[in-house]
Amino acid sequence: METTKTTPAVQGLIISLLLIVFGLGVHFAGLSSNKNLNYIQYLLLAGGIIWACFTYSKQRDGNVTFGNTFAHGFKTTAAITAVMAVYTVLALKFITPEIVDIALDEARKGMMEQKGKMSDSDISDAIDMTRKFFIPFAIAGVVVLFLIFGCIFSLIGAAIAKKNPNYNPLEN
């Protein structure tokens, strides 16, 4: 009996749901300003992608190469990135729109602490411009960061996943 093989899309969806639940829990617990909790998100991402690489290798009884294990991890990363980009838009528009105001208030405070460098009108102009492009910048940040970290974690997962040295890719 052949075992079912989990696709990168399914694994990416599972990992994305964990990241979303964690992020919402942090937000609704009022802990969004705790920067250390952001690192837990990256640990979840790392663990998820490495888990995907291990699962890929295990489901194929180790008959994998570094390259195809990395490719599986990166496909999982792509699925996570797509889901998280869509979630970011939904979250900033509908679920937790107050995050935009919180981030802009923090940016305003940071600019005001640097007195002498920017006038009040310059600060207001900068905040208005940032508000206008906040969602596109957030999406770009999510895509770039998730792809970079996902690539790194896929490399790690591919390096430590069990591989059969007698693997012949033409037999599979």
Side-chain angles (χ1 to χ4, degrees):
M1 183 171 133
E2 187 174 319
T3 60
T4 59
K5 295 182 170 60
T6 310
T7 65
V10 170
Q11 291 173 325
L13 185 60
I14 292 168
I15 297 164
S16 297
L17 290 175
L18 288 172
L19 291 169
I20 290 168
V21 167
F22 175 76
L24 288 173
V26 167
H27 177 72
F28 290 122
L31 300 171
S32 296
S33 61
N34 186 341
K35 301 295 182 201
N36 291 329
L37 289 176
N38 290 334
Y39 297 119
I40 295 175
Q41 179 183 17
Y42 292 110
L43 288 175
L44 287 172
L45 180 65
I49 293 172
I50 293 169
W51 162 76
C53 291
F54 270 90
T55 302
Y56 175 77
S57 175
K58 184 177 179 182
Q59 288 175 345
R60 285 153 183 80
D61 296 323
N63 289 325
V64 295
T65 64
F66 177 87
N68 57 21
T69 306
F70 169 77
H72 181 85
F74 197 75
K75 289 175 192 175
T76 303
T77 297
I80 294 166
T81 303
V83 171
M84 294 306 288
V86 170
Y87 167 72
T88 298
V89 172
L90 293 175
L92 294 177
K93 285 280 193 182
F94 306 110
I95 302 170
T96 56
E98 66 276 5
I99 288 177
V100 176
D101 294 327
I102 292 168
L104 292 175
D105 287 343
E106 287 181 22
R108 182 183 302 275
K109 288 176 190 173
M111 288 180 209
M112 293 180 91
E113 287 175 2
Q114 299 176 358
K115 273 295 189 197
K117 292 186 178 181
M118 295 179 79
S119 67
D120 288 342
S121 65
D122 289 341
I123 292 172
S124 293
D125 290 343
I127 295 298
D128 290 341
M129 184 64 73
T130 304
R131 181 179 298 282
K132 187 184 292 186
F133 294 107
F134 192 88
I135 291 177
F137 286 152
I139 293 168
V142 164
V143 169
V144 169
L145 284 175
F146 274 74
L147 288 177
I148 289 171
F149 282 111
C151 183
I152 293 167
F153 300 145
S154 294
L155 286 169
I156 293 169
I160 60 179
K162 178 185 168 200
K163 292 171 281 300
N164 184 354
N166 298 322
Y167 175 68
N168 182 355
L170 299 177
E171 291 177 4
N172 211 359

